Amino acid sequence: MSSLRVAIAWCASACLFSTQIQAEAVENDPAAELESLRQRLKALEEKVGADALARTHEPAASDSASANRLGRLSFAGDARYRAESIDAGAVDNDRHRVRARFGVEASVTDTMMTAFRLSTGEGDPRSAHLTFSGGYSRRSIGIDLAYLQWAVAPELRVAAGKLPYPNWQPAQSIFIGGDFNPEGWSTSYASQSGWFANAHHFWLQTRLDEADSRQSGLQLGFTSDAKGATRFTVAAAYTDFMRVAGRKPFLDGVNPYGNSLNAAGELQNDFNIAELASEVTFERYPGSLTLFTHVARNAYAGENDIAYATGVTVSPSRWKHWRFGYQYARIEKDALFGQLMDGDFGGGSTDSRGHAFRVAYRPQGRWSSTLSYLRNDVNISSTAPQPFDLIQLDIDFIY
């Protein structure tokens, strides 16, 4: 574990040092930099003309979107390389992983579209990562998204299939795994005044001889004008997991990911989860400052039923491509449905608490990197919680 920690720290330090040198070089000779910009602007005007130059100020995202479009089809993909080191008591695990996704969207009519995406994965609905192992065997590719969407009105959309999780969450929230794409239908409403609502009905397990296990939910929220110096979003949600108590864990029949089991190895509780989430961003801070809070309670459980997370993200103006984040979270044993929770915090289980530190480097382009350190405790409902440490380096590419 020590060698991987040293390598990750060295990479992060090298990136930081090189960025600082470049920034100081510009500051030490502003006249030369200004003259260089003038010469490049003049050459660009001569080459493409004033009208074409005006179009270069459009967002880069629109350029990339048009480059990946073919008629009514648009394509997108991403890839991630991950190196991580896990220290959980007697377990010391250094591993490398990869995730790759590729998808296509098709505009059927002006109001209807369909999407399909393939992804790597090993069966966990919360993560599409593959761990380097298995004697170089062929690895799994599966259906990550496959859904239809109808824009009933400019503010209202209905989707059905295997689709992205519809509820809004703060950017750093760990209550739902980032790769989680449920199966069923959802409805989303977003007004120009800032009010929004999301409703869903998903199928956990379909059965022939008895009632299905399902998940239904509703979220109501408001988001302020995105152009303001201070932006905020607040939302309340209620999710009902039906016919979960008395069933074996759904992923493998064994692992409850922190939730309580009865003597027969079945889930002890249903989950009726009420949530309140908020996020506020201040652009007048020297750079950008974002604060978030996310709280949840399982109304069905009689104890160990509270989850909360709070944190901050800072992007200093001097280092505009860097972001620094911190959060603290406490997820009691039956506060959340553990099989859908983030797969990193506390080893991907409830009954955990602790800190998460992140440093992200996001230059203008199609790649980024994030260094994370999680200092957690697991089995916190017991008399002897165990430590869980995770160091993780992600390098992401989009195309």
Side-chain angles (χ1 to χ4, degrees), residues 208-223:
L208 297 177
D209 54 346
E210 54 182 319
D212 300 339
S213 295
R214 304 184 185 186
Q215 170 188 344
S216 294
L218 176 66
Q219 182 183 56
L220 301 174
F222 177 81
T223 185

Side-chain angles (χ1 to χ4, degrees), residues 159-176:
K162 188 169 182 61
L163 43 80
Y165 185 67
N167 281 12
W168 173 84
Q169 293 191 106
Q172 291 192 68
S173 181
I174 59 173
F175 286 8
I176 294 291

Side-chain angles (χ1 to χ4, degrees), residues 228-231 280-291 313 315:
T230 301
R231 305 187 305 274
V280 58
T281 298
F282 303 95
E283 293 292 353
R284 290 180 180 176
Y285 176 85
S288 177
L289 174 68
T290 299
L291 305 171
T313 302
S315 181

Side-chain angles (χ1 to χ4, degrees), residues 81-291:
Y81 186 90
R82 168 174 287 181
E84 61 185 9
S85 181
I86 301 171
D87 189 352
V91 177
D92 192 351
N93 183 16
D94 293 346
R95 64 182 184 179
H96 294 256
R97 315 183 80 190
V98 66
R99 184 190 72 181
R101 302 180 294 191
F102 180 77
V104 58
E105 292 184 359
S107 299
V108 181
T109 68
D110 291 341
T111 59
M112 301 187 71
M113 60 84 69
T114 182
F116 180 78
R117 186 170 72 183
L118 295 175
S119 172
T120 54
E122 295 177 324
D124 188 342
R126 308 172 304 172
S127 174
H129 295 86
L130 295 175
T131 301
F132 292 2
S133 183
Y136 313 122
S137 60
R138 301 290 181 188
R139 311 310 297 272
S140 300
I141 294 289
I143 297 175
D144 192 39
L145 294 172
Y147 67 94
L148 310 172
Q149 179 177 281
W150 176 31
V152 182
E155 303 88 1
L156 181 63
R157 286 174 167 77
V158 178
K162 188 169 182 61
L163 43 80
Y165 185 67
N167 281 12
W168 173 84
Q169 293 191 106
Q172 291 192 68
S173 181
I174 59 173
F175 286 8
I176 294 291
D179 288 346
F180 172 55
N181 298 316
E183 298 164 10
W185 61 263
S186 69
T187 302
S188 299
Y189 170 82
S191 70
Q192 294 183 352
S193 61
W195 292 97
F196 65 89
N198 298 299
H200 68 260
H201 190 77
F202 302 141
W203 275 259
L204 271 166
Q205 185 71 54
T206 299
R207 302 182 180 90
L208 297 177
D209 54 346
E210 54 182 319
D212 300 339
S213 295
R214 304 184 185 186
Q215 170 188 344
S216 294
L218 176 66
Q219 182 183 56
L220 301 174
F222 177 81
T223 185
S224 65
D225 187 355
K227 298 180 181 179
T230 301
R231 305 187 305 274
F232 71 91
T233 301
V234 60
Y238 186 82
T239 306
D240 182 7
F241 289 80
M242 295 167 282
R243 301 177 186 89
V244 169
R247 314 287 179 180
K248 295 286 186 178
F250 290 85
L251 296 184
D252 59 9
V254 178
N255 191 345
Y257 292 92
N259 293 151
S260 298
L261 297 177
N262 59 25
E266 301 164 339
L267 291 168
Q268 183 172 300
N269 295 299
D270 270 327
F271 294 83
N272 301 330
I273 301 172
E275 299 177 58
L276 182 62
S278 65
E279 184 177 85
V280 58
T281 298
F282 303 95
E283 293 292 353
R284 290 180 180 176
Y285 176 85
S288 177
L289 174 68
T290 299
L291 305 171

